[in-house]
């Protein structure tokens, strides 16, 4: 059973401090990050996705100056429709997070005792630490070298079986019936099914609707992304205290939602209405 996880994607950066850019993918990374952060006041975060926004919120709450850089036009660019993202952005900005959208970091150079992060739009940010949170790539090298079928992840059927009999994959490294879902809940679903299969009762994995709670307490956010490739559209209802966005497919079925601010109270009710992703 392959459960080898995923590697952080590294942005190719120029500059003599490029090697000092940290990413956090496990506890030892996190310990290193905390050690380097100790006594520092400023941080640049590459990536305004889930992990970038969560770190931005926490570090800002701890009094750190936070700049977040992302080539997209909004935070959680692949998950949130525009008004919901705008609400999240405005709330984090009001808390003091500085976003730099539509650009990317090009170099990270020593400017002792600081670090200078130069962006493609000509801005240079003086900072103490650069954290990269631009995403993860499933670890597929071992599977590929073993002749297993790989795509984005290690390709498995709904029973978690790879292209080779008796070789299974699950977790961040796996692409299960077309889905690579790097979150704990799908892994738990997969592990339960696989346990039954390995005990002699072949059991396909079931993925119910699994909303992701974004840990940005300054602006509570929950998103249940529509399955990739589903035709449909977002409808957003904006209120002073939050945004409720629903994604219906072309047949009118609710296939996903995004809730920001006070609208997160609707999470449970909406989750019941979204059909399972798989099974
Ligand atoms: C900062 C951060 C925050 C997150 N927050 C959330 C969250 O709030 N909610 C949520 O649901 N998910 C969250 N996730 C995602 C979640 O942590 C992952 O989906 C989950 O840990 C993946 O588990 P895994 O077992 O597939 O991989 P991992 O936990 O990465 O474990 C893989 C293990 O395999 C080992 N390994 C690698 N190669 C080999 C090899 N060749 N042989 C043997 N062992 C090997 C690795 O050393 C590692 O110990 C977060 C992830 C990060 C990085």
């Amino acid at each position: 059973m392959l459960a080898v996880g995923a590697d952080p994607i590294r942005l190719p950066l120029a500059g003599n401090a490029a090697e000092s850019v940290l990413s956090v993918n496990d506890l030892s990374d996190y310990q290193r990050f905390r050690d380097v952060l100790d006594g520092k006041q400023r941080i640049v975060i590459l990536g305004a996705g889930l992990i970038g926004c969560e770190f931005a919120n926490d570090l800002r709450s701890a009094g750190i100056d936070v700049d977040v850089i992302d080539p997209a036009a909004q935070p959680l660019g692949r998950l949130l429709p525009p008004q919901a993202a705008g609400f999240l952005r405005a709330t984090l900005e009001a808390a003091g997070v500085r976003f730099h959208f539509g650009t990317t970091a090009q170099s990270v150079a020593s400017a002792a005792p600081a670090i200078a992060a130069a962006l493609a739009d000509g801005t240079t940010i003086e900072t103490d630490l650069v954290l990269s949170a631009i995403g993860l790539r499933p670890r597929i090298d071992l599977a590929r070298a073993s002749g297993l079928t790989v795509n984005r992840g290690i390709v498995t059927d709904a029973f978690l079986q790879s292209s080779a009999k008796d070789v299974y994959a699950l977790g961040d490294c796996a692409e299960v019936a077309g889905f690579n879902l790097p979150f704990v809940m799908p892994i738990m679903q997969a592990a339960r099914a696989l346990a039954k299969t390995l005990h002699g009762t072949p059991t396909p994995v079931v993925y119910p609707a699994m909303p992701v709670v974004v840990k940005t307490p300054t602006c509570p956010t929950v998103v249940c992304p529509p399955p990739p490739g589903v035709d449909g559209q977002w409808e957003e209802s904006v209120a002073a205290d939050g945004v409720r966005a629903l994604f219906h497919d072309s047949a009118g079925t609710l296939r996903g939602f995004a809730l920001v601010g006070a609208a997160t109270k609707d999470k449970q009710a909406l989750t019941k209405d979204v059909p399972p992703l798989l099974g």
Side-chain angles (χ1 to χ4, degrees):
M1 188 178 83
L2 296 167
V4 292
D7 281 316
I9 297 171
R10 299 284 298 180
L11 192 64
L13 290 166
N16 61 1
E19 289 302 311
S20 72
V21 174
L22 298 178
S23 54
V24 172
N25 191 35
D26 56 34
L27 277 178
S28 54
D29 291 344
Y30 183 65
Q31 185 60 56
R32 183 151 167 256
F33 167 70
R34 290 296 297 256
D35 292 346
V36 176
L37 182 68
D38 193 31
K40 304 287 196 317
Q41 190 49 44
R42 301 167 296 182
I43 187 164
V44 163
I45 298 175
L46 309 180
L50 278 170
I51 290 172
C53 285
E54 291 179 0
F55 269 111
N57 190 151
D58 284 350
L59 293 166
R60 185 64 209 128
S61 299
I64 309 271
D65 284 350
V66 179
D67 287 275
V68 183
I69 299 152
D70 198 303
Q74 60 169 58
L76 300 182
R78 280 182 298 167
L79 292 174
L80 292 182
Q83 311 257 32
F87 193 96
L88 173 66
R89 174 184 183 164
T91 311
L92 290 178
E93 282 179 339
V97 173
R98 288 186 294 263
F99 284 108
H100 306 261
F101 287 115
T103 189
T104 184
Q106 285 191 323
S107 82
V108 175
S110 169
I115 290 174
L119 312 190
D121 68 2
T123 311
T124 297
I125 304 170
E126 196 173 283
T127 188
D128 298 317
L129 168 59
V130 180
L131 177 70
S132 176
I134 62 167
L136 298 171
R137 186 175 288 129
R139 290 187 179 119
I140 57 173
D141 291 353
L142 177 59
R144 183 189 278 132
S146 309
L148 303 182
T149 303
V150 292
N151 185 33
R152 176 173 164 73
I154 303 166
V155 171
T156 81
D157 62 15
F159 295 84
L160 290 315
Q161 177 153 289
S162 73
S163 56
K165 187 173 179 301
D166 292 337
V167 179
Y168 296 85
L170 87 169
D172 283 11
C173 66
E175 187 173 318
V176 179
F179 296 100
N180 171 240
L181 301 173
F183 302 105
V184 172
M185 199 173 155
I187 297 174
M188 288 168 65
Q189 294 290 121
R192 285 191 190 113
L194 186 56
K196 288 183 187 154
T197 298
L198 297 181
H199 278 88
T201 309
T203 305
V205 66
V206 171
Y207 285 152
M210 296 176 285
V212 178
V213 176
V214 187
K215 281 81 177 179
T216 46
T218 302
C219 182
T221 301
V222 177
V223 57
C224 181
V230 167
D231 228 17
Q233 60 183 36
W234 286 102
E235 259 173 59
E236 300 191 77
S237 316
V238 182
D241 59 359
V243 178
R244 184 178 197 265
L246 304 181
F247 184 95
H248 290 97
D249 64 19
S250 44
T253 306
L254 182 69
R255 301 300 298 273
F257 58 83
L259 305 169
V260 181
T264 49
K265 67 177 179 353
D266 295 341
K267 176 188 144 198
Q268 277 189 336
L270 287 170
T271 303
K272 287 191 202 118
D273 291 342
V274 178
L277 209 52
L278 182 65

